[in-house]
Amino acid sequence: MFKELGPSMIILPIIAVLGNVAISKAFSSAGISPTRELVALSLCNVVGSFFSSMPVTGSFSRSAVNHASGVRTPIGGFYTSALVLLALGLLAPYFQYIPKAALSAVIISAVIFMIEFEVIKPLWRCSRRELLPGAITFVISLAIGVELGLLLGVGVDVAYLVYRAARPALTVSKLRTTNGTDYILMRPIHSSLYFPAIEWVRTGISKAVAMHGTAPVVLDCSNMHELDFTAARGMGALNKELASSFVPFFLLKASKEICVILKESTNSDFHTIETPDDLEYILDNTASIDDHRLQVTIPLINAQNKVNGGDAMTLDGSGGGGGGHL
């Protein structure tokens, strides 16, 4: 079987499950459980294998014909089975006279209503991105085969999801507290931050610092609920880079799970802030401490020079005969 089917042995069960779920969604008025559909289909094939049954799955064409004929219960399967057995026993020699075009017309007439042309226009207006996987699946399925069409369509959609995870939306704002302290607020839109996205976030923060100066950086974690190990290590490296540049870095509204992951993976402490009021208080105190350091440094240097008996140096390098630079 593997020699004859090759990779199709892996693709065919996936197509069978997808087709079964799609049929259930198309002909069911209530919500369905894909897990239950998978279990039911699996049990049918496992039990049927003990009675030399062929592998079975749902059929779009037969389901569409039954729906168009008014069938509402599984009892319709008994009538279909009886007609098939009768046709095989009595009418098989005459099947060769039925044109294939007539059989195709029956199937096409039954399934034509399942093609939803009306969704193309709303998709074009609302989400053009979703048209690409559907168009690729449709064209490749007609030109080459259903297996390759489904694989390419799913692959394009998965590639977009990976791109979204690697390039999360990140808003950057330069704000100011009521006391006039400037700070940079970074707000990720997505609820998770995984390893493909950490370099993107670090680059965004570095660009914001280069653009807005060495103002404190606040990362809003209110929408962030998941963080993996590699992303946490990247956050630790970012914290060290900002600390070496004397840029304060704070986490706003970080959950306990996020804090535990950061602590265990980096062995370093992050400055966390619970509420916006605490943010303003801490930022204002941080700015006042920095201003205080700038004010007291020069008198200490001048006093030290006086104690040593030398000429006092100023910030611009002017002073007594020493003429040094600071």
Side-chain angles (χ1 to χ4, degrees):
M1 290 175 62
F2 184 78
K3 183 178 180 180
E4 183 175 350
L5 296 177
S8 298
M9 288 190 64
I10 301 176
I11 301 174
L12 287 177
I14 298 176
I15 296 177
V17 174
L18 292 178
N20 210 62
V21 173
I23 293 170
S24 302
K25 289 183 177 180
F27 298 103
S28 176
S29 58
I32 66 167
S33 173
T35 303
R36 295 179 63 182
E37 296 292 331
L38 174 61
V39 172
L41 183 61
S42 303
L43 289 178
C44 286
N45 284 286
V46 170
V47 175
S49 65
F50 290 97
F51 301 93
S52 301
S53 172
M54 293 178 60
V56 297
T57 181
S59 172
F60 276 107
S61 57
R62 289 196 299 272
S63 300
V65 170
N66 286 338
H67 183 268
S69 302
V71 175
R72 293 292 179 267
T73 64
I75 298 179
F78 289 99
Y79 291 94
T80 303
S81 302
L83 289 175
V84 169
L85 292 175
L86 180 64
L88 291 176
L90 301 177
L91 304 177
Y94 306 101
F95 284 168
Q96 59 180 334
Y97 300 111
I98 300 177
K100 291 184 179 180
L103 298 177
S104 301
V106 173
I107 297 176
I108 292 174
S109 300
V111 302
I112 191 67
F113 73 95
M114 298 181 64
I115 303 177
E116 300 177 352
F117 295 103
E118 65 276 5
V119 303
I120 297 179
K121 191 173 182 180
L123 278 177
W124 179 260
R125 291 179 176 179
C126 303
S127 179
R128 297 180 183 179
R129 194 275 308 171
E130 296 184 39
L131 283 176
L132 182 60
I136 290 177
T137 303
F138 182 76
V139 173
I140 299 299
S141 297
L142 289 180
I144 301 177
V146 178
E147 297 88 350
L148 186 59
L150 284 176
L151 281 180
L152 289 179
V154 172
V156 170
D157 212 21
V158 171
Y160 177 76
L161 295 177
V162 173
Y163 177 80
R164 286 281 303 272
R167 297 291 187 269
L170 191 66
T171 60
V172 182
S173 306
K174 187 174 183 181
L175 305 178
R176 179 173 294 177
T177 64
T178 54
N179 293 330
T181 303
D182 294 331
Y183 66 97
I184 302 172
L185 179 63
M186 314 288 293
R187 182 179 288 114
I189 303 300
H190 300 297
S191 61
S192 58
L193 187 62
Y194 297 131
F195 71 94
I198 187 61
E199 290 299 328
W200 173 262
V201 174
R202 290 177 61 180
T203 303
I205 294 177
S206 300
K207 290 181 178 179
V209 172
M211 181 180 300
H212 300 293
T214 57
V217 176
V218 180
L219 182 63
D220 189 357
C221 302
S222 56
N223 296 329
M224 190 185 304
H225 304 292
E226 295 183 11
L227 187 72
D228 63 3
F229 178 80
T230 307
R233 294 296 294 269
M235 292 284 290
L238 174 64
N239 189 26
K240 293 180 181 179
E241 291 176 5
L242 295 177
S244 63
S245 302
F246 302 101
V247 177
F249 181 58
F250 302 97
L251 300 179
L252 177 62
K253 297 181 180 180
S255 63
K256 293 182 179 179
E257 292 79 7
I258 298 295
C259 294
V260 170
I261 293 174
L262 290 173
K263 177 65 177 177
E264 296 295 332
S265 59
T266 62
N267 292 324
S268 60
D269 295 326
F270 286 80
H271 300 290
T272 58
I273 301 175
E274 298 295 334
T275 63
D277 294 335
D278 295 338
L279 173 63
E280 294 226 356
Y281 175 78
I282 292 175
L283 290 178
D284 292 336
N285 286 343
T286 302
S288 63
I289 291 174
D290 291 339
D291 294 338
H292 179 68
R293 287 175 179 173
L294 290 176
Q295 292 172 3
V296 301
T297 301
I298 297 174
L300 285 175
I301 294 176
N302 290 334
Q304 183 66 29
N305 287 330
K306 291 179 181 179
V307 169
N308 294 333
D311 295 328
M313 292 186 297
T314 58
L315 287 175
D316 57 358
S318 62
H325 296 278
L326 180 60

